[in-house]
Amino acid sequence: MWFKNLQVFRLTSPWQISADELNAQLSKISFSQCASNEMQSQGWASPRNNDMLVHTVNQQFLLALATEKKLLPSSVINQVAKARAQEMEEQQGFAPGRKAMKELKERVTDELLPRAFGVRRNTFIWIDPVNRWLVIDASSPSRADEVVKLLLKCCDKLPLEGLRVKSSPQACMTSWLAGNEAPKGFTIDQDTELKSSTEDKATVRYVRYTLEPEDVQKHIAAGKQCTKLAMTWDDRISFILTDTLTIKRIKPLDILDEEKDKGTNEEERFDADFMLMTAELAKMLDDIVFALDGEMETSTVI
């Protein structure tokens, strides 16, 4: 398995915890399906559909945060409530007021909720206690925030904070584009986004297009900076780096397929793939941090 997007955090100090200890802590908020009167349920689930909330391979931890939400569109609630309101108007001779309409919608929601269909999604988390990474497979910071908040509720004194680097990713990506020269170990690919810092937030995007240095200079002169840049690391992994240090559209390249341990069964193949992913991404993250002039010193414990 390979993560598609990376929200990257740092363990700011060594975190000595065993898989069994972490499993016990996560079990405080284990996942259960929505009750009939619940709109959403969230908790830790087994990443491999067994009894363990922590899957361990080569000192690397894999977790899964499960979220189930009931599908109950507001349009359906409004439609049913409107029909009920018409019935009430016919019976009492006047339409229900604002307060009565609000209460009516709440009653309709309570009635429909037990019959609503629940949709579940899993958000996967990779914890690397050896190299002190915590990485969430999520495209948005808000999804990562859900994970972090629940981790902090379960885990005592988790030494965690967002990855902070010395140089602005936006400034570095703009410089790499302007000079048409990627940092050592990387190549620049063909997807790019440049955005203005002015109020209008003028944005230009290039997809599968090699941007020439003179074009970059024109955009920079017009006040735009690079906010997304497609890159390849060591001919092994392609990705998009953003100005917020989110890493998107992770894709292992063919060279890694050749190095996969095929294994004899599904479990062995999964573990081999997870071990390969964590080893490669740990090295890639180190190189990205180095390209951005290193990490800012910190001793913060959340």
Side-chain angles (χ1 to χ4, degrees):
M1 56 106 49
W2 276 80
F3 283 18
K4 303 297 183 185
N5 304 283
L6 309 182
Q7 299 286 339
V8 186
F9 296 82
R10 260 305 192 191
L11 298 172
T12 56
S13 60
W15 192 38
Q16 303 296 333
I17 189 169
S18 68
D20 288 340
E21 290 170 333
L22 182 55
N23 191 84
Q25 293 185 14
L26 296 181
S27 64
K28 299 173 189 174
I29 310 179
S30 58
F31 174 76
S32 58
Q33 289 185 314
C34 288
S36 62
N37 61 342
E38 285 183 321
M39 183 65 79
Q40 176 175 308
S41 178
Q42 193 171 62
W44 302 106
S46 170
R48 297 300 295 146
N49 297 317
N50 52 34
D51 293 333
M52 296 300 295
L53 300 178
V54 181
H55 185 69
T56 310
V57 182
N58 196 33
Q59 297 181 284
Q60 307 294 300
F61 298 155
L62 179 66
L63 318 180
L65 178 63
T67 303
E68 184 181 70
K69 288 185 177 180
K70 294 283 186 69
L71 289 181
L72 187 55
S74 58
S75 58
V76 173
I77 296 172
N78 291 336
Q79 182 180 349
V80 176
K82 184 179 179 180
R84 299 273 180 87
Q86 288 175 341
E87 293 175 5
M88 292 172 63
E89 185 175 358
E90 292 172 0
Q91 293 171 1
Q92 60 192 20
F94 58 90
R98 182 178 298 176
K99 182 179 179 181
M101 198 64 197
K102 180 182 177 183
E103 293 173 348
L104 179 58
K105 287 184 179 180
E106 290 174 352
R107 289 199 301 273
V108 167
T109 301
D110 291 341
E111 291 174 18
L112 296 179
L113 199 54
R115 290 180 281 163
F117 184 72
V119 176
R120 173 175 165 173
R121 61 171 167 81
N122 287 335
T123 303
F124 289 97
I125 304 96
W126 157 44
I127 302 178
D128 178 355
V130 179
N131 299 294
R132 306 215 317 256
W133 295 111
L134 187 146
V135 179
I136 300 168
D137 186 1
S139 59
S140 68
S142 60
R143 181 77 59 84
D145 286 344
E146 292 179 2
V147 172
V148 170
K149 286 177 183 177
L150 216 60
L151 271 175
L152 295 175
K153 283 183 179 180
C154 297
C155 301
D156 299 329
K157 296 182 180 179
L158 178 62
L160 185 68
E161 74 164 22
L163 175 63
R164 299 194 302 160
V165 290
K166 292 179 180 177
S167 293
S168 158
Q170 186 179 82
C172 289
M173 291 188 295
T174 303
S175 175
W176 300 336
L177 268 180
N180 195 28
E181 185 175 358
K184 184 179 179 181
F186 295 87
T187 55
I188 295 174
D189 296 336
Q190 294 181 307
D191 289 12
T192 309
E193 178 184 276
L194 296 107
K195 185 179 292 186
S196 173
S197 58
T198 57
E199 275 188 28
D200 61 2
K201 299 293 182 185
T203 303
V204 59
R205 296 184 181 92
Y206 293 87
V207 179
R208 293 188 292 276
Y209 180 86
T210 302
L211 194 57
E212 298 296 331
E214 53 268 27
D215 294 329
V216 176
Q217 294 297 341
K218 290 178 184 177
H219 288 304
I220 293 174
K224 296 185 184 70
Q225 296 281 299
C226 183
T227 52
K228 293 180 183 178
L229 183 62
M231 306 179 75
T232 293
W233 170 73
D234 198 28
D235 295 326
R236 301 169 78 81
I237 299 173
S238 67
F239 63 95
I240 290 180
L241 180 64
T242 75
D243 56 343
T244 60
L245 267 183
T246 296
I247 301 170
K248 297 187 174 184
R249 280 172 38 186
I250 297 285
K251 183 180 179 182
L253 302 183
D254 292 342
I255 189 172
L256 287 180
D257 285 334
E258 298 171 5
E259 297 178 15
K260 281 184 180 180
D261 182 352
K262 305 304 181 182
T264 58
N265 56 52
E266 196 275 335
E267 281 295 323
E268 289 184 1
R269 287 192 295 272
F270 181 92
D271 286 354
D273 205 24
F274 180 62
M275 189 162 60
L276 179 64
M277 181 195 79
T278 56
E280 294 295 322
L281 289 184
K283 289 184 285 187
M284 187 185 82
L285 289 173
D286 282 340
D287 284 353
I288 290 174
V289 168
F290 183 80
L292 297 172
D293 297 322
E295 287 184 73
M296 296 180 67
E297 295 292 332
T298 179
S299 58
T300 302
V301 176
I302 297 179

